[in-house]
């Protein structure tokens, strides 16, 4: 089969890691008889430099017309002083809303061969960790009304509104219940319904929904408690579903307890099959251009793309197995190496994965 993939390399380490993921996709395609046409698009800081805006219209058009989008990372200190609407991050937020990507799947999976990197005591994570965060991606405080105004006696005031509708809550809830049905059958919904009205609506919609999925074990947690439970008893979780900002925060926490933020992929999905796939780490400007970055999160994002957007589960397994094999052999980039271990460059790691790909 033939697939059109929009590729946004972005800033910092983005170009290096995406190049490796493209190599892996091409080789997987060769093994299974698919061809990928990559169309590179500008977004983020590099788009600000070249086009004067973080998300050129043409990029949105190409992304929408493609089967899927692969993204490296955007942003960096060079663009941090831009006004809000011209920050590099606007590229990601704009793509999420323009592509209608309502659900962000962030698996926090601990690789057996990297268990030592987990910062929690071994008894807390014995047997491994496999949590999926399902984050609502186009609503809430990220997209609500915001602004500033002068007050008569308190100086300037700023506000960001967190709106949620029943429909938005229900559709992300469904994603979580469906995912749990394919995994370990548990959904934990995280909110702050002891304080926030949006969370009270959130909880009531989730409770209505859970009646439709009697086979799923359901529970609620307040977000502060969820943050605590993730470090004291992370194994209780299967799927965590939560609103946009809570999901942003908890997914960094969840990924870090696996010990390898440089290893974790993500998928952002809408109603159809079009999706955006990116590593959950950022653009790491401090190590950009040095061949030090770990490309595995981007390579695993490409695997998620095959699974969720292109409906090629066997090909996705093939990439994930290759990554596992390479890790088991002890191949390491700098971020996951222990002192004294041989360190591979970004492209050497990509080559290792390409070599390890084999059709079952
Ligand atoms: C993420 C990032 C983004 C977010 C930023 C870059 C806008 O932190 O994808 O988690 O806050 O959603
Ligand atoms: Mg984040």
């Amino acid at each position: 089969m033939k697939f059109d993939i929009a590729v946004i390399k972005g800033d910092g380490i983005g170009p290096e890691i995406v190049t490796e993921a493209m190599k892996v996709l091409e080789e997987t395609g060769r093994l299974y008889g698919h061809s990928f046409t990559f169309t590179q698009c500008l977004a983020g800081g590099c788009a600000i430099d070249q086009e004067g805006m973080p998300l050129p219209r043409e990029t949105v058009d190409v992304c929408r017309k493609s089967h899927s989008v692969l993204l490296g990372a955007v942003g960096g200190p060079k663009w941090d002083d831009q006004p809000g609407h011209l920050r590099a991050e606007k590229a990601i937020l704009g793509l999420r809303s323009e592509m209608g990507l309502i659900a962000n799947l962030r698996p926090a999976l601990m690789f057996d061969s990297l268990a030592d990197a987990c910062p929690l005591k071994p008894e807390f994570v014995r047997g491994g960790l496999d949590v999926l965060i399902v984050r609502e991606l186009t609503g809430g405080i990220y997209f609500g009304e915001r602004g500033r105004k002068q007050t008569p006696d308190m100086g300037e005031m700023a506000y960001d509104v967190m709106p949620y509708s029943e429909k938005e809550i229900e559709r992300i809830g469904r994603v979580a219940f469906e995912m749990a049905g394919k995994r370990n059958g548990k959904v934990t919904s995280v909110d702050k319904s002891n304080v926030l009205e949006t969370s009270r609506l959130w909880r009531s919609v989730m409770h209505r929904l859970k009646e439709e999925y009697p086979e799923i074990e359901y529970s609620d947690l307040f977000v502060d408690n969820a943050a605590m439970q993730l470090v004291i008893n992370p194994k209780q979780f299967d799927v965590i579903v939560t609103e946009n900002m809570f999901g942003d925060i908890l997914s960094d926490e969840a990924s870090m307890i696996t010990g390898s933020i440089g290893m974790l992929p993500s998928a952002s999905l809408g109603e159809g099959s079009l999706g955006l796939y990116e590593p959950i780490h950022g653009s790491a400007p401090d190590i950009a251009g040095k061949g030090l970055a770990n490309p595995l999160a981007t390579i695993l994002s490409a695997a998620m793309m095959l699974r969720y957007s292109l409906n090629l589960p066997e090909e996705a397994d093939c990439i994930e197995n290759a990554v596992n094999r390479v890790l088991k052999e002890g191949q390491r980039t700098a971020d996951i190496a222990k002192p004294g271990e041989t360190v591979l460059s970004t492209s050497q790691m990509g080559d290792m994965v390409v070599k390890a790909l084999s059709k079952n």
Side-chain angles (χ1 to χ4, degrees):
M1 287 205 274
K2 290 187 194 313
F3 299 101
D4 295 322
I5 312 295
V7 172
I8 299 174
K9 291 188 170 180
D11 308 313
I13 59 172
E16 297 161 72
I17 54 181
V18 171
T19 301
E20 299 314 307
M22 288 163 68
K23 270 189 342 208
V24 171
L25 278 174
E26 259 165 358
E27 179 62 12
T28 309
R30 209 185 56 74
L31 285 174
Y32 286 86
H34 307 302
S35 77
F36 299 102
T37 306
F38 299 110
T39 307
Q40 298 204 29
C41 312
L42 279 179
C46 53
I48 297 175
D49 289 350
Q50 289 179 47
E51 311 263 324
M53 64 187 95
L55 184 61
R57 193 69 234 167
E58 198 193 332
T59 296
V60 174
D61 292 342
V62 172
C63 290
R64 277 197 176 143
K65 280 195 219 124
S66 301
H67 290 105
S68 190
V69 182
L70 182 66
L71 186 145
V74 297
K78 183 174 171 198
W79 306 281
D80 276 354
D81 296 328
Q82 299 272 354
H85 68 287
L86 283 178
R87 288 183 63 102
E89 290 81 0
K90 260 282 162 198
I92 295 207
L93 298 173
L95 276 173
R96 288 174 184 167
S97 69
E98 295 272 357
M99 292 170 64
L101 305 173
I102 57 133
N104 185 211
L105 310 183
R106 298 194 163 182
L109 180 72
M110 199 165 93
F111 291 82
D112 292 344
S113 36
L114 297 178
D116 293 353
C118 171
L120 303 182
K121 289 190 183 137
E123 60 265 33
F124 289 2
V125 290
R126 193 149 290 138
L129 262 188
D130 182 3
V131 180
L132 176 68
I133 303 228
V134 176
R135 167 189 178 191
E136 198 292 321
L137 203 57
T138 49
I141 198 163
Y142 271 59
F143 291 91
E145 193 191 333
R146 74 193 71 229
R148 294 191 184 212
K149 52 186 171 202
Q150 278 302 330
T151 65
D153 49 0
M154 302 289 278
E156 195 181 8
M157 189 186 106
Y159 59 93
D160 299 270
V161 181
M162 185 200 272
Y164 265 108
S165 66
E166 283 181 277
K167 192 173 157 207
E168 287 171 306
I169 300 167
E170 186 178 321
R171 65 189 181 188
I172 192 69
R174 284 198 191 281
V175 173
F177 281 100
E178 299 289 337
M179 287 285 157
K182 294 184 201 142
R183 294 170 41 99
N184 297 314
K186 267 174 90 170
V187 167
T188 307
S189 167
V190 170
D191 65 36
K192 188 70 187 172
S193 59
N194 49 346
V195 179
L196 302 178
E197 201 53 40
T198 42
S199 284
R200 288 191 268 273
L201 181 64
W202 179 279
R203 194 174 278 214
S204 68
V205 173
M206 289 293 167
H207 283 203
R208 208 160 65 209
L209 216 49
K210 78 174 180 177
E211 302 304 323
E212 288 182 39
Y213 296 89
E215 71 288 3
I216 303 291
E217 190 186 323
Y218 175 90
S219 55
D220 303 290
L221 272 185
F222 294 142
V223 62
D224 46 352
N225 189 8
M228 181 175 80
Q229 295 296 328
L230 268 171
V231 290
I232 58 170
N233 183 11
K235 288 183 68 78
Q236 70 184 285
F237 296 115
D238 176 23
V239 173
I240 293 177
V241 61
T242 191
E243 67 86 37
N244 207 340
M245 187 167 61
F246 298 162
D248 177 44
I249 299 167
L250 292 180
S251 61
D252 269 27
E253 187 189 4
S255 64
M256 206 53 224
I257 61 179
T258 69
S260 41
I261 194 161
M263 297 285 310
L264 299 181
S266 77
S268 301
L269 303 172
E271 308 272 359
S273 64
L274 177 62
L276 174 91
Y277 297 83
E278 57 176 322
I280 78 159
H281 61 70
S283 60
D286 51 322
I287 58 163
K290 299 183 181 158
L292 287 172
N294 182 347
L296 293 179
T298 318
I299 291 171
L300 291 167
S301 301
M304 286 187 96
M305 178 171 104
L306 298 181
R307 175 165 290 119
Y308 293 113
S309 281
L310 310 185
N311 197 21
L312 301 173
E314 202 183 308
E315 290 81 341
D317 284 346
C318 168
I319 295 181
E320 285 161 2
N321 291 339
V323 168
N324 263 316
R325 216 168 291 146
V326 161
L327 289 172
K328 274 211 188 93
E329 280 169 14
Q331 310 292 357
R332 299 288 185 264
T333 42
D335 56 316
I336 50 174
K338 282 191 259 174
E341 276 181 332
T342 309
V343 166
L344 299 184
S345 71
T346 310
S347 65
Q348 285 171 327
M349 183 56 109
D351 291 342
M352 286 291 170
V353 176
V354 166
K355 257 195 258 156
L357 291 167
S358 75
K359 200 170 162 179
N360 295 329

